[in-house]
Amino acid sequence: MTESNKVIHLTESKTFCMAPWVHLHSTPSGVVAPCCISESCASDTGMGDSKTQSLMELVNSPKMKQLRLDMLSGIKNIECTKCYNHEEQGISSFRQHNNKDWGNAYYDDVIGNTLVDGSLTDFKMRYFDIRFSNICNFKCRTCGSGFSTQWEQEDLKHKVYHARIIPKNNNPIFLQEVVNQIPHMKTAYFAGGEPLITEEHYILLEEMIRQKRTDISLRYNTNLSNLKFKDKDLLGLWKHFNSDVSVYASIDHYGGRAEYIRHGTDWAQVENNFLMAKKTKFIHLQMNTVLSVFNFLTINEFYQYLIDKKLYDQKSYSNTLYNMSVPTFLACHILPQEYKEKGKASLESAIKLLTAKKFKPDRIKTLQDAIPWVFSEDSWEQNKNEFRTEIKRLDKIRGENFAKTFPELAPLLDSDRKKLWPV
């Protein structure tokens, strides 16, 4: 490949992404995918099975090879639909971030190791994101049993038609192959389930320390409910690492709303853990907030609370706002127009707040980008029945009350359309 090809692929291409060359993702069920937001993550087969196949078999599976060829040829592959959608809305995509993070350092090397059929002669895992189990102590409304053992047990108990137990990935060969990649890793991203209560997380962390690979950048997506696990002191382990440990706390609201959206939350405990982590010098702390039906209309109240409680300030790392599209019946796209307008006003209020407090433009942009995203689709009619059914079903099981927790959204549960659109 020439230097011009490198520039085209990394900066101009609408399809090229470094991920399939430096990364491999496996869901808790063992389904392999090119990254954690690709379409394979939602399938039963994906691009392979980490419970039964070797690492190189997965790296060079037929679907993975074809994906690389499509990316090089400028052909849009269905795997990357979410990134294409984000880019069409002017939102910075995971694909673009991957090219920025890995392109300059590794493009020449990986392209040189790529054969004409799209297979790799050598694979170095620069970016780790393997989910060995779905163990989790929460039941987040915007998640599901695939990523939570608590959800699994609830589904089984109440005989949900799709209920199933996801066996833990006990493939020792695959785990060892991943451990063997530690010398090549630059970034290790731990998510779940809940990574801070996952055995394999600690196996890898302690092996990194043993191999003196404490220069690996650690990143976590966590509910931040626990900073200790069995006999493990997480802060003590993190101290060994040279670079900052990046902790992305999944927090979508505060108080009762937080406890409803992410069932299992003890808001006082999570808030205390967040403040403790914020005071720890070697932790790079930020919030990852999922924008959904639940928090769209009151997002301004959320940001006001964060600022008032000193959870978020001008010196903090960015509080990212992820524009959720799955499950579709909880995405902001389903909201009727009048509710979208209220949510837009709430976002605009939050934008004014951050502007007045002199937050950096990139902190504000994540809120601004959400507005066109929400208005890009209207899917109330397609999703209203599932929305109402699932809200009421889980409220009954969990002893929760959507209408009382989110009074601004309560009329959505009313099946009488005239009450939403008076004649």
Side-chain angles (χ1 to χ4, degrees), residues 103-162:
N104 288 333
Y106 301 117
Y107 177 87
D108 293 336
D109 178 55
V110 300
I111 294 301
N113 285 321
T114 306
L115 300 180
V116 293
D117 66 348
S119 63
L120 302 184
T121 58
D122 186 26
F123 175 69
K124 293 183 175 66
M125 186 182 289
R126 306 298 184 179
Y127 175 40
F128 164 89
D129 178 12
I130 304 291
R131 322 282 174 94
F132 288 95
S133 80
N134 65 334
I135 186 169
C136 187
N137 55 338
F138 280 16
K139 294 182 286 188
C140 303
R141 291 272 180 153
T142 54
C143 190
S145 60
F147 295 94
S148 169
T149 46
Q150 292 291 315
W151 264 93
E152 279 183 341
Q153 296 303 317
E154 182 179 82
D155 283 353
L156 287 170
K157 180 179 178 181
H158 295 278
K159 299 179 180 179
V160 175
Y161 75 94
H162 57 261

Side-chain angles (χ1 to χ4, degrees), residues 170-328:
N170 288 318
N171 182 351
I173 296 175
F174 182 72
L175 175 58
Q176 185 58 52
E177 287 175 324
V178 172
V179 168
N180 292 344
Q181 288 288 329
I182 287 176
H184 308 306
M185 292 180 190
K186 294 297 181 182
T187 297
Y189 174 59
F190 294 99
E194 171 48 42
L196 302 189
I197 59 172
T198 303
E199 298 279 359
E200 288 80 4
H201 160 247
Y202 293 93
I203 291 172
L204 284 161
L205 209 59
E206 291 177 333
E207 184 61 21
M208 289 172 187
I209 294 170
R210 191 191 70 79
Q211 291 189 26
K212 296 183 171 36
R213 282 306 320 278
T214 53
D215 58 333
I216 294 174
S217 176
L218 302 181
R219 299 179 184 175
Y220 290 85
N221 193 320
T222 169
N223 58 41
L224 210 60
S225 60
N226 296 277
L227 291 176
K228 292 184 183 293
F229 176 69
K230 296 182 178 179
D231 63 339
K232 312 295 184 185
D233 176 10
L234 194 54
L235 295 180
L237 290 170
W238 283 345
K239 282 182 180 178
H240 290 273
F241 288 79
N242 303 332
S243 57
D244 287 348
V245 177
S246 298
V247 176
Y248 312 130
S250 298
I251 299 175
D252 303 329
H253 226 304
Y254 67 92
R257 286 186 169 124
E259 293 174 348
Y260 182 100
I261 298 171
R262 296 187 178 271
H263 183 95
T265 298
D266 177 337
W267 174 249
Q269 184 64 53
V270 169
E271 186 174 43
N272 285 338
N273 286 347
F274 190 92
L275 289 170
M276 181 187 298
K278 194 171 188 292
K279 293 174 184 176
T280 304
K281 290 183 179 179
F282 57 81
I283 294 179
H284 168 143
L285 180 69
Q286 70 180 57
M287 281 189 196
N288 277 0
T289 297
V290 174
L291 188 67
S292 70
V293 165
F294 297 116
N295 57 6
F296 183 43
L297 270 64
T298 55
I299 200 72
N300 59 325
E301 296 176 24
F302 177 53
Y303 277 93
Q304 185 70 62
Y305 181 92
L306 297 181
I307 291 171
D308 289 347
K309 293 289 186 175
K310 304 189 185 309
L311 298 170
Y312 191 40
D313 55 48
Q314 298 88 336
K315 295 181 180 179
S316 299
Y317 294 101
S318 178
N319 178 18
T320 63
L321 196 63
Y322 179 71
N323 298 290
M324 184 203 78
S325 57
V326 177
T328 55

Side-chain angles (χ1 to χ4, degrees), residues 22-40:
V22 299
H23 170 59
L24 184 80
H25 176 72
S26 177
T27 71
S29 63
V31 171
V32 167
C35 78
C36 66
I37 63 169
S38 65
E39 296 304 295
S40 275

